[in-house]
């Protein structure tokens, strides 16, 4: 789960990391009230997860209650898109914060490093730009330190990173203290990533977090249930919510943009199924993993979820039963078809593994034949979508 | 021959009185695994379906001689269960549980010493066909033989093993390493074990998008840490960037974890990558010829 800037800054501020004073608004009236209470040169920032909001016009300036009206009107409801995500994201909120006089911009983050199984600290004196670009063009400009979680954070780590990142000597101690607080946020919130870009040095030599990018571990929310309620529009999808309501996990349904609906059991098999559909010249409409041991009711709801996507033209069900039983899958599918949500003419099923005989017999009684292999099923499903 | 698990392994189940734990304990026993009991705190002294239940792992180990534990404990308590097993000196700890907080695993793995190997979490376990099953794999699709298999996914494994078995290619040991971003055992660990196993002639590597486990495996092969024939499959090659495909660890973030990088790594060390699971048997036959 990714947090919006103002949510990330709330976590930062709670841990004692300096952030510019600011407030969130979701209407023009709220924005006016904020500026009336705190009249000062301020920045109005669209609260979206997508990158490139500045270029898209999602960052504007104001200094009092009158001149906040135009920027607030312009940004609230604005659709912000970029090259990777042309559909974009709507700004439902703005964050109004006091302007900071910036002398220099740094970069700082802590992320989960999979290979070392440790948190990795990354810092650079080249802040305010895309860190992947910096890593590519100036790899020497980024200092990295993998921290031993059994040791935890200690100030020497901050001093070492500051020195290796060639940060100005005057801020080393401030930096080491701020990094300790960021490490606290990283662990206590169960984050996969906490990033401050830019981490600003003000004209009077103070460090302040000008931006906040936080990604939480969905599984870690059981330790911080209050953060689960911070989930915003950009992180929710109606069909995914339905899948969760049906008892599936956070990652079991993924919306894609093709027209072949996909249902399978197990993440690896479903990924393989998407690849097979793509290889057969088609485009998957979704990823749906019914998990292990699904009962008929779950299968029925899975069919209903996938086929309620108006883009779906054919449905490919690929089941390799281990714990999942073929007869349960068949029952659920037949129930879904009987309720009229989908036609068996636009359906391909490959049913194999545990109780495949029973399942195939049930399907045959409803006039449905299971294909033998995943590749054959993929080809047929792609042909049906044409 | 095999790695990690064989006929002599004595296995316990942590969470044996739970629905999943008991169901799979029965399946493991039916497969022939020496399942010597289980643990559920507070339910020690009972016997469920013929399995002796203990309050803690140390006690279970003392009374049964167990050296392997399979964990079916719910996510909030699973890392504690892993630590308890390691603390009791269990040699092989297999964590099936899906949904464990990443930071729980980071902390647990940081303090577990070299005497204990952790496999998973969010994995289907380990099977040495014809000898023992410690996990949730459907035993009937496997067949004893000389090809090892390591995989980040359960069902992709079953699909591939089914193709192998139907083509007469048996398996020495199959290890499901798990679909989470932070896992105890990675491809490199398994390849090093297979290198030393005289019962394994070749290995199938079933990878997927996300992380750099496949690249690390290719690096090991390049520096001759693994010298037997290997073939690979990579799931999620059609997945868009930034979307988590079922497994918490199956995500392309920025420029890392892409299928292109994994394909290039395997191409560099001449490990053929199958476009489809059904191509694996012929690639294995070619590699062994």
């Amino acid at each position: 789960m990714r947090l919006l800037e103002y949510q990330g800054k709330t976590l930062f501020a709670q841990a004692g990391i300096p952030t510019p004073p600011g407030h969130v608004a979701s209407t023009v009236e709220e924005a006016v009230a904020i500026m009336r209470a705190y009249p000062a040169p301020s920045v109005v920032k669209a609260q979206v997860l997508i990158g490139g909001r500045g270029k898209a016009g999602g960052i504007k300036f104001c200094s009092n209650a009158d001149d906040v009206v135009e920027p607030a009107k312009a940004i609230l409801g604005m659709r912000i898109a970029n090259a990777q995500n042309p559909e974009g994201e709507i700004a439902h909120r703005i964050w109004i914060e006091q302007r900071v006089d910036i002398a220099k911009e740094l970069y700082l983050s802590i992320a989960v490093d999979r290979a070392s199984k440790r948190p990795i600290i990354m810092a650079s004196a080249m802040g305010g730009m895309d860190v992947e670009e910096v890593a590519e063009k100036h790899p020497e400009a980024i200092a990295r330190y993998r921290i031993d979680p059994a040791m935890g954070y200690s100030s020497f780590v901050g001093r070492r990173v500051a020195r290796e990142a060639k940060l100005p000597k005057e801020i080393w101690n401030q930096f080491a203290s701020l990094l300790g607080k960021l490490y606290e946020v990283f662990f206590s919130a169960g984050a996969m990533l906490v990033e401050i870009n830019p981490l600003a040095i003000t004209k009077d030599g103070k460090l302040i977090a000008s931006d906040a990018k936080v990604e939480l571990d969905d599984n870690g929310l059981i330790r911080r249930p209050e953060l689960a309620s911070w989930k915003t529009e950009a992180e929710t999808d109606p069909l995914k919510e339905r899948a969760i309501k049906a008892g599936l996990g956070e990652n079991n349904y993924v919306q894609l943009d093709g027209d072949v609906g996909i249902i399978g059991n197990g993440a690896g098999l479903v990924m393989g199924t998407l690849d097979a559909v793509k290889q057969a010249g088609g485009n998957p409409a979704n990823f749906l993993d019914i998990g292990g041991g699904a009962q008929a009711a779950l299968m029925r709801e899975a069919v209903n979820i996938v086929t309620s996507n108006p883009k779906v033209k054919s449905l490919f069900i690929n089941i390799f039963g281990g714990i999942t039983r073929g007869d349960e899958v068949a029952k659920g599918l037949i129930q879904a078809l009987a309720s009229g949500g989908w036609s068996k003419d636009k359906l391909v099923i490959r049913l194999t593994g545990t109780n495949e005989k029973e399942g195939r017999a049930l399907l045959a009684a409803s006039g449905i034949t299971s294909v033998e292999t995943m590749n054959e099923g993929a080809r047929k499903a792609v042909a049906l979508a044409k | 021959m095999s790695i990690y698990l064989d006929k002599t392994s004595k296995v316990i189940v942590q969470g044996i009185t739970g629905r999943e734990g008991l169901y799979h304990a029965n399946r493991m026993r039916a497969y022939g695994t020496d399942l010597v009991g289980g643990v559920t705190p507070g339910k020690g002294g009972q016997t469920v379906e013929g399995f002796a239940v203990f309050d803690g792992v140390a006690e279970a180990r003392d009374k049964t001689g167990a050296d392997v534990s399979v964990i079916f404990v719910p996510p909030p308590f699973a890392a504690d269960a892993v630590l308890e097993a390691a603390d009791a000196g269990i040699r092989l700890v297999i964590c099936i549980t899906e949904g464990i907080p990443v930071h729980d695993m980071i902390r647990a793995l940081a303090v577990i010493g070299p005497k204990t190997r952790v496999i998973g979490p969010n994995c289907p376990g380990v099977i040495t066909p014809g000898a023992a099953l410690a996990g949730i794999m459907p035993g009937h699709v496997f067949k004893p033989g000389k090809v090892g298999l390591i995989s980040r996914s359960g069902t992709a494994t079953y699909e591939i093993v089914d193709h192998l078995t139907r083509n007469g290619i048996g398996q020495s040991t199959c290890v499901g390493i798990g679909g989470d971003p932070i896992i105890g055992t990675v491809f490199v660990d398994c390849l090093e074990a297979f290198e030393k196993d005289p019962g394994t002639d070749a290995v199938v590597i079933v990878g997927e998008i996300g992380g750099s486990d496949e690249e690390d495996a290719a690096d090991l092969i390049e520096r001759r840490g693994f010298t037997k024939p290997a073939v690979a499959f990579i799931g999620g090659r059609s997945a868009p960037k930034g979307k988590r495909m079922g497994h918490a660890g199956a995500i392309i973030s920025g420029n890392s974890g892409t299928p292109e990088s994994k394909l290039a790594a395997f191409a560099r060390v001449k490990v053929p990558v199958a476009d489809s699971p059904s191509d694996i048997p012929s690639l294995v036959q070619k590699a062994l010829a």
Side-chain angles (χ1 to χ4, degrees):
Chain A
M1 177 175 137
R2 294 168 302 169
L3 300 185
L4 293 169
E5 175 193 4
Y6 80 92
Q7 297 171 320
K9 282 185 170 164
T10 305
L11 287 182
F12 288 179
Q14 283 168 0
I17 295 171
T19 53
H23 298 85
V24 68
S26 49
T27 63
V28 176
E29 292 71 36
E30 284 170 15
V32 169
I34 288 166
M35 285 311 293
R36 195 162 285 144
Y38 307 96
S42 299
V43 197
V44 182
K45 295 159 106 176
Q47 294 300 288
V48 286
L49 298 169
I50 196 169
R53 64 180 170 178
K55 269 186 205 154
I59 296 180
K60 296 183 187 299
F61 302 95
C62 70
S63 52
N64 59 47
D66 293 328
D67 64 12
V68 75
V69 174
E70 277 313 309
K73 265 191 186 159
I75 297 176
L76 283 168
M78 175 190 274
R79 188 179 285 275
I80 296 177
N82 63 20
Q84 291 87 47
N85 181 356
E87 208 161 292
E89 186 188 327
I90 292 175
H92 295 280
R93 295 172 195 78
I94 47 177
W95 171 246
I96 305 174
E97 74 180 10
Q98 291 180 20
R99 291 184 75 166
V100 178
D101 279 334
I102 296 176
K104 188 171 170 51
E105 295 185 330
L106 315 175
Y107 173 89
L108 175 63
S109 70
I110 309 175
V112 170
D113 181 49
R114 295 166 64 155
S116 68
K117 301 169 195 179
R118 290 179 170 193
I120 181 169
I121 297 165
M122 287 171 61
S124 172
M126 297 176 77
M129 43 192 135
D130 179 22
V131 66
E132 292 206 334
E133 212 180 301
V134 175
E136 211 171 280
K137 291 186 184 151
H138 310 278
E140 74 294 341
I142 297 176
R144 293 180 171 81
Y145 184 89
R146 291 169 180 83
I147 196 163
D148 179 353
M151 173 187 79
Y153 181 79
S154 202
S155 291
F156 82 87
V157 173
R159 293 195 302 272
R160 177 174 161 172
V161 169
R163 190 179 67 246
E164 287 176 4
K166 301 182 185 70
L167 308 188
K169 225 170 197 167
E170 309 79 66
I171 55 121
W172 284 8
N173 284 335
Q174 256 191 81
F175 178 83
S177 150
L178 183 146
L179 181 52
K181 289 167 184 162
L182 191 64
Y183 189 78
E184 233 177 85
V185 173
F186 179 73
F187 253 111
S188 72
M192 299 300 285
L193 169 74
V194 290
E195 183 184 81
I196 308 177
N197 188 22
L199 172 63
I201 306 180
T202 60
K203 293 215 167 110
D204 54 355
K206 298 269 191 312
L207 282 175
I208 188 161
S210 268
D211 200 353
K213 188 169 166 186
V214 175
E215 187 189 335
L216 302 177
D217 167 27
D218 295 320
N219 295 337
L221 293 172
I222 52 175
R223 302 258 179 266
R224 291 291 297 272
E226 79 281 9
L227 295 180
S229 66
W230 286 18
K231 197 166 177 177
T232 49
E233 299 82 359
E235 285 287 270
T236 53
D237 167 328
L239 291 183
K240 183 179 191 158
E241 294 305 307
R242 245 179 100 176
I244 292 170
K245 209 172 265 177
L248 293 173
E250 183 72 32
N251 298 326
N252 289 49
Y253 182 90
V254 180
Q255 183 75 49
L256 301 169
D257 54 13
D259 53 13
V260 180
I262 309 279
I263 298 173
N265 63 317
L269 186 65
V270 181
M271 262 188 269
T273 309
L274 302 187
D275 296 344
V277 165
K278 201 93 177 190
Q279 275 170 22
N283 270 310
N286 67 280
F287 170 108
L288 201 168
D289 166 17
I290 56 170
Q295 303 288 303
L298 177 58
M299 184 61 201
R300 186 182 62 220
E301 178 64 0
V303 173
N304 289 336
I305 289 170
V306 170
T307 57
S308 68
N309 172 0
K311 282 188 181 167
V312 169
K313 290 192 198 142
S314 72
L315 174 63
F316 180 22
I317 300 171
N318 186 13
I319 304 294
F320 192 106
I323 323 167
T324 309
R325 288 165 38 190
D327 51 334
E328 286 293 325
V329 171
K331 272 184 213 160
L333 172 62
I334 292 163
Q335 287 168 13
L337 296 178
S339 64
W342 196 248
S343 150
K344 71 176 169 32
D345 302 329
K346 289 286 181 189
L347 165 82
V348 179
I349 180 166
R350 181 254 192 160
L351 187 63
T352 183
T354 309
N355 288 13
E356 65 178 33
K357 269 190 203 135
E358 293 84 344
R360 288 178 179 193
L362 288 170
L363 292 176
S366 296
I368 303 166
T369 318
S370 165
V371 297
E372 284 303 317
T373 69
M374 174 161 88
N375 291 346
E376 181 193 352
R379 278 192 299 273
K380 285 196 168 158
V382 170
L384 283 179
K386 293 268 186 255
Chain B
M1 290 297 285
S2 61
I3 66 167
Y4 301 155
L5 186 74
D6 61 29
K7 199 97 210 161
T8 67
S9 304
K10 291 186 185 302
V11 180
I12 53 167
V13 164
Q14 284 174 262
I16 196 161
T17 58
R19 191 169 55 97
E20 294 282 309
L22 189 55
Y23 175 75
H24 288 287
N26 271 308
R27 284 174 60 116
M28 285 183 248
R29 179 169 60 186
Y31 190 77
T33 307
D34 189 9
L35 212 134
V36 295
V39 171
T40 296
K43 296 199 175 166
Q46 300 181 7
T47 301
V48 289
E49 300 187 20
F51 298 115
V53 182
F54 302 93
D55 282 320
V57 179
E59 186 199 0
R61 188 216 48 209
D62 288 347
K63 301 253 171 76
T64 66
D67 64 336
V68 177
S69 178
V70 186
I71 295 176
F72 291 89
V73 170
F77 321 111
D80 176 63
V82 170
L83 285 167
E84 183 185 357
D87 183 62
I90 297 290
R91 173 183 63 84
L92 183 66
V93 178
I94 298 169
C95 188
I96 307 296
T97 310
E98 176 174 5
I100 302 177
V102 165
H103 285 269
D104 285 15
M105 281 320 293
I106 290 178
R107 272 175 287 205
L109 293 175
V111 298
I112 291 176
K115 281 185 192 155
T116 295
R117 167 162 303 286
V118 176
I119 294 182
N122 190 13
C123 80
V126 180
I127 185 169
T128 294
L133 162 65
I136 61 171
M137 292 151 161
H140 64 273
V141 303
F142 296 82
K143 167 189 155 88
K146 302 198 83 176
V147 171
L149 184 141
I150 49 185
S151 173
R152 286 172 61 190
S153 148
T155 44
T157 301
Y158 315 155
E159 174 82 32
I160 287 167
V161 167
D162 190 48
H163 285 294
L164 289 172
T165 298
R166 282 173 197 267
N167 283 279
I169 303 170
Q171 306 91 38
S172 53
T173 299
C174 299
V175 184
I177 63 169
D180 272 6
I182 299 293
I183 48 178
T185 294
V186 294
F187 285 157
V188 164
D189 302 314
C190 301
L191 287 172
E192 285 171 344
F194 275 129
E195 178 74 7
K196 290 187 208 128
D197 175 35
T200 300
D201 291 342
V203 172
V204 177
I205 303 169
V206 184
E208 63 191 31
I209 54 165
S212 61
D213 217 8
E214 293 77 8
E215 288 87 337
D216 295 343
D219 288 345
L220 180 78
I221 293 169
E222 186 158 53
R223 57 173 195 268
R224 310 288 297 161
F226 182 78
T227 58
K228 296 178 183 182
V231 307
F233 175 78
I234 293 164
R237 280 157 74 172
S238 64
K241 278 190 176 187
K243 302 242 182 189
R244 225 172 268 286
M245 307 302 281
H247 287 146
I251 181 165
I252 303 171
S253 10
N255 301 330
S256 98
T258 65
E260 292 78 18
S261 151
K262 297 175 191 304
L263 291 171
F266 283 134
R268 203 181 67 230
V269 294
K270 301 192 171 53
V271 169
V273 181
D275 286 330
S276 163
S278 58
D279 298 337
I280 297 269
S282 61
L283 289 180
V284 169
Q285 275 153 353
K286 223 182 275 170
L288 283 171

